[in-house]
Amino acid sequence: MKLCVFGAGGRMGQSIIRLAAESSDVELVGAVELPGSPCVGRDAGELSGARTLGVAVCPDLASGLLGADVLVDFSTAAAFSGMLRIAEQKGVGVVSGTTLLAPADEALIARASERIAVLWAPNMSVGVTLLAELVRRAVLALGEYDVEIIESHHNKKTDAPSGTATYLQAAAQAARPELRVVHGRSGDVGARAHDELGMHALRGGGIVGDHSVHLVGEFERVELTHRAMGRELFAAGALRAARFLARQPAGRYTLLDMLDRPSAQTP
């Protein structure tokens, strides 16, 4: 698979390039950063801490896409629409984990997917994707059980709840739309209502990211948990998604589509 990375100077871009350099079935053919970036002109492999790859980071996406099968995008919301238009023009599939997109970008994804394969996901963790589907199914099956979400992260994280916790919340609400989020509890709040979805955030030390969904019945408790052991899991998920997308016709795809198809398994 011939790969181009847009956002090659960022942490995610560099992680993807490092993993690509270690993969026998992936060839990096393009690395792109926004004009003015200090990364422009540097060897993408050396920039990422991998071996020299002979691919210089360039500021022109159209040039970076030459010969590429798939573009992996971890750039900025402001650059997303321009990236997608160029990829569509060049006929190159797109895997994107860029977040904070504008509502208009959704229409662009729908239009582009008529001509190229597009996979956008706010979280590129394969495990989290599977967890969300398990949560949806469990909440649907155990409708009488109380639902609580607990997320834990390092002490430098500034926002709460995490985006992944919100993603799991949406999975639970897809099964039970009446669920309303309650952020923690303090004081005399009264008995727990059945339509509550408790959301709790823990912060401490160097926790990469733990998420647990508790479904609690009268006589038993089911816990569904994902623990991140390194931030590389997102890069690994994006690279696996690129392998999957390289074999697909035009259309819009999700990580769950990838997991549902045996051909998507990593070599």
Side-chain angles (χ1 to χ4, degrees), residues 152-158 202-208 231:
S152 305
H153 284 85
H154 53 86
N155 56 20
K156 301 296 190 296
K157 187 171 178 61
T158 60
L202 283 64
R203 296 290 178 266
I207 302 171
V208 174
R231 292 178 178 83

Side-chain angles (χ1 to χ4, degrees), residues 142-162:
L142 304 174
E144 72 277 17
Y145 286 32
D146 296 326
V147 184
E148 301 273 316
I149 297 175
I150 302 174
E151 56 100 339
S152 305
H153 284 85
H154 53 86
N155 56 20
K156 301 296 190 296
K157 187 171 178 61
T158 60
D159 62 312
S162 68

Side-chain angles (χ1 to χ4, degrees), residues 12-13 33 55 73 78 95 119 124 127 140 157 160 173 179 182 186 209 217 243 264:
M12 281 301 303
E33 258 299 342
V55 177
D73 163 55
V95 171
L119 190 158
M124 283 290 169
L140 187 64
K157 187 171 178 61
Q173 290 173 321
L179 289 175
V182 175
S186 179
R243 289 186 178 99

